[in-house]
Amino acid sequence: MRLVHLEMALQRLSGFPSPKPALEQYATPASVAARLLFHAAGEGAIEGKRVLDLGCGTGVLACGAALLDAASVAGIDCDRGALRAARENALSLDVEVALICGEVGPAFPVRPDSFNTVVMNPPFGAQQRHADRPFIDCALAAAPVVYGIFNAGSRPFVERYIEGRAGITAAVGGAFTIPRTFSFHRRDKMEIPVEILKLERDCPC
Ligand code: SAH
């Protein structure tokens, strides 16, 4: 599948039925999701792999990974409404995604290395400081390779947070165009610069 076709397929998916600000429910724009997935696929991290989408929301990344021939895809989110939308989205694309309702946090049970690759657009921590940290922890426990979307400028903080466990081995810039979603948004559209970071767990040897 070509990048443009993946982007077009993801563009047609439904967004959050009633976005919740506390959970930072912003769907990844199709262009950014497609770029992340294509980058990962080009590195052999999607096709034939077990892929996990942490904080999957409406399933944009999970569905995209399935379209790019992942062996299996699971998506975890704590919001049932978002998971219902994700199920509809997967059905509309005729792809299989296992959707699990769970709260990603320090107590979240992760079987070590149960996946090959994690893709995620976690909360940036705008509403709740450090909300991204349990996502990074769970992701690095679940798989040796993680492709995540972060606020632009987060790289040094992420680097320091994962020091001794993993490193950032690639970074790709991008931007979210977010329509006015919540009452505290002042403009009709906002451009949020983001970066896609690839985290790779340190070799234990
Ligand atoms: N990954 C999706 C959604 C990004 S928005 C996409 O790319 O479009 C962030 C998502 O994280 C939301 O769906 C929100 O419900 C979920 N989320 C926030 N905190 C969570 C937590 N502690 N556990 C599980 N999911 C959480």
Side-chain angles (χ1 to χ4, degrees):
M1 181 179 270
R2 294 177 44 199
L3 177 64
V4 61
H5 294 140
L6 178 65
E7 191 175 327
M8 277 160 56
L10 298 180
Q11 230 147 30
R12 285 195 289 268
L13 299 182
S14 304
F16 287 99
S18 48
K20 300 188 174 77
L23 293 174
E24 294 192 43
Q25 290 185 332
Y26 299 101
T28 305
S31 58
V32 179
R35 192 174 321 162
L36 181 152
L37 292 163
F38 243 69
H39 185 85
E43 297 185 327
I46 304 290
E47 191 179 337
K49 303 293 184 189
R50 286 169 289 139
V51 178
L52 171 65
D53 179 357
L54 268 185
C56 64
T58 57
V60 182
L61 293 169
C63 289
L67 285 175
L68 292 177
D69 296 323
S72 64
V73 184
I76 298 175
D77 205 283
C78 60
D79 184 53
R80 286 186 191 280
L83 289 171
R84 273 194 292 276
R87 192 178 58 217
E88 291 300 317
N89 281 333
L91 277 173
S92 76
L93 290 172
D94 197 22
V95 293
E96 217 169 288
V97 177
L99 294 164
I100 300 151
C101 189
E103 178 85 30
V104 177
F108 189 75
V110 184
R111 194 149 43 88
D113 277 332
S114 36
F115 294 90
N116 301 113
T117 307
V118 172
V119 292
M120 62 179 190
N121 171 19
F124 289 169
Q127 298 296 321
Q128 198 192 327
R129 223 164 115 80
H130 302 318
D132 54 343
R133 289 190 173 179
F135 280 80
I136 295 173
D137 295 338
C138 284
L140 287 173
V145 181
V146 179
Y147 296 86
I149 300 172
F150 297 88
N151 230 339
S154 307
R155 185 179 177 152
F157 301 101
V158 174
E159 214 147 42
R160 218 168 306 138
Y161 184 63
I162 63 177
E163 198 179 340
R165 292 187 283 163
I168 296 174
T169 53
V172 182
F176 272 28
T177 304
I178 295 186
R180 187 196 294 262
T181 310
F182 301 124
S183 57
F184 55 82
H185 288 165
R186 300 199 181 283
R187 277 171 280 147
D188 287 341
K189 270 186 183 174
M190 283 183 304
E191 278 277 305
I192 302 188
V194 296
E195 53 195 352
I196 298 165
L197 300 180
K198 179 184 181 187
L199 318 184
E200 268 187 282
R201 220 159 51 197
D202 292 342
C203 172
C205 47

